[in-house]
Amino acid sequence: MSQKIIDLRCRPAFLHKFFGAEPGSPEHATARWLNRRVGTLGSDTHFEKSLTQEGFLDEVRQAGLSKAVVVGRHTPSQHLPNDTIHQIVHGHKELLGIAGIDPALQGEQQALAEAERAIKELGLSGIDIEPGFGVPARHPDDPIYWPIYELALHLNVPVFLMSGPTTPDPRFNDPAGLAKVAKAFPDLPLVVYHGYWPNVQQAIGLAFLHENVHLVPDMYIFQPGNEGYVQAANSFLSEQLLFGSSYTFRPISQSIEDFQQLGFKDAILDKLFYGNAARLFQLPS
């Protein structure tokens, strides 16, 4: 494939049982169900190819990805340690890692120290927080996260936020909470996984006002309501929308092919697939 592509959300099955690491488990069955739910063609056990590191790398290479971004998490229900993310991506030019931080669980000082260690010592490329998945659930403009935003700005790395319909309380899948942050930190890239789907119009309205807000609808861009993302990208959002497969919950290659058929202008596909992410991670254009 000649097209350069960075997959902003791509995790191996072996990373956690949530991604299908244990065949026969309830989580494996859920991974299969979710694949069917978001339109996977062919086998809903395709992700078992990534039950090993080499299998995952084969999937990334066969899909022709320039980079696959492996995301850490730190929430009350799921912890993907930053050292684990480092072990997966280290030494593999095709992989980038994002650090997971939760100041509510870790405490402010420990969270800040861990974020700095993950970027400076482990070589990870951004910081992930998940306000709506905390206990209690929070919005991104909660004061507990402001020191994280300040540190990310100092470290010159983007902040990634989780959103979407799997947020335990749907009231916290609300783009409004990010507006105050985007205004206060105009030079800090804010990247929203799942693109606040199904609140598509509100999400693109936020991104219209704040150019530092980036949307990665990943597997939800193939769901009803996706025309909002497409129409916006074909006009003002062309430098703020990014591609993600959400593997293991969707095949990488199929997601690339489906993305190309959504109606994006040919002139912006390079930005959506590669250029916008390359700018975020300060990679060669």
Side-chain angles (χ1 to χ4, degrees):
M1 180 180 299
S2 59
Q3 181 104 49
K4 291 197 293 186
I5 298 172
I6 297 175
D7 187 337
L8 263 289
R9 194 167 180 83
C10 187
R11 294 71 50 94
F14 71 80
L15 177 58
H16 192 273
K17 61 183 180 180
F18 179 73
F19 303 112
E22 300 175 4
S25 69
E27 292 83 3
H28 185 271
T30 298
R32 295 180 63 183
W33 171 85
L34 189 54
N35 266 275
R36 297 192 298 271
R37 196 74 169 166
V38 297
T40 291
L41 302 175
S43 173
D44 61 15
T45 61
H46 67 91
F47 55 84
E48 291 181 358
K49 295 175 183 176
S50 68
L51 288 173
T52 66
Q53 174 80 357
E54 281 308 311
F56 177 52
L57 289 169
D58 285 345
E59 286 288 274
V60 167
R61 291 164 182 160
Q62 287 172 14
L65 295 180
S66 301
K67 302 282 184 184
V69 179
V70 183
V71 189
R73 301 185 78 176
H74 199 153
T75 72
S77 63
Q78 186 181 126
H79 185 201
L80 307 176
N82 298 323
D83 287 294
T84 299
I85 303 301
H86 168 72
Q87 290 166 9
I88 292 171
V89 305
H90 182 66
H92 300 291
K93 62 181 177 59
E94 307 98 327
L95 305 179
L96 291 174
I98 304 299
I101 300 297
D102 187 335
L105 287 175
Q106 298 169 284
E108 179 181 315
Q109 292 308 311
Q110 184 177 342
L112 290 170
E114 174 60 11
E116 189 159 6
R117 183 185 77 92
I119 303 303
K120 290 186 173 180
E121 297 181 22
L122 301 183
L124 302 185
S125 300
I127 298 169
D128 177 82
I129 58 173
E130 308 200 5
F133 290 76
V135 177
R138 292 176 167 87
H139 292 291
D141 59 355
D142 191 289
I144 198 170
Y145 299 109
W146 287 71
I148 303 296
Y149 300 134
E150 292 168 356
L151 177 64
L153 186 62
H154 173 72
L155 295 173
N156 197 26
V157 296
V159 170
F160 295 80
L161 302 101
M162 181 72 157
S163 72
T166 58
T167 304
D169 183 338
R171 290 174 297 179
F172 291 85
N173 181 37
D174 182 357
L178 195 57
K180 185 177 179 181
V181 181
K183 183 177 180 180
F185 297 94
D187 296 321
L188 175 63
L190 301 165
V191 188
V192 185
Y193 285 128
H194 297 342
Y196 283 116
W197 190 88
N199 300 319
V200 179
Q201 297 300 322
Q202 297 94 321
I204 61 178
L206 174 68
F208 177 88
L209 190 60
H210 299 287
E211 294 184 31
N212 57 327
V213 173
H214 302 74
L215 304 178
V216 186
D218 47 79
M219 62 187 177
Y220 295 111
I221 204 165
F222 307 110
Q223 302 307 305
N226 63 4
E227 61 274 7
Y229 296 123
V230 176
Q231 291 170 3
N234 282 336
S235 56
F236 67 88
L237 201 68
S238 65
E239 296 190 352
Q240 293 166 258
L241 190 79
L242 302 94
F243 169 77
S245 69
S246 211
Y247 183 84
T248 60
F249 301 132
R250 215 174 189 276
I252 305 170
S253 294
Q254 182 195 330
S255 295
I256 293 170
E257 294 170 3
D258 290 350
F259 193 86
Q260 292 171 319
Q261 301 303 315
L262 289 175
F264 295 112
K265 295 177 180 177
D266 289 342
I268 69 167
L269 275 174
D270 284 340
K271 293 182 181 180
L272 308 183
F273 272 132
Y274 183 84
N276 295 342
R279 186 177 64 253
L280 282 178
F281 294 122
Q282 302 175 51
L283 301 173
S285 60

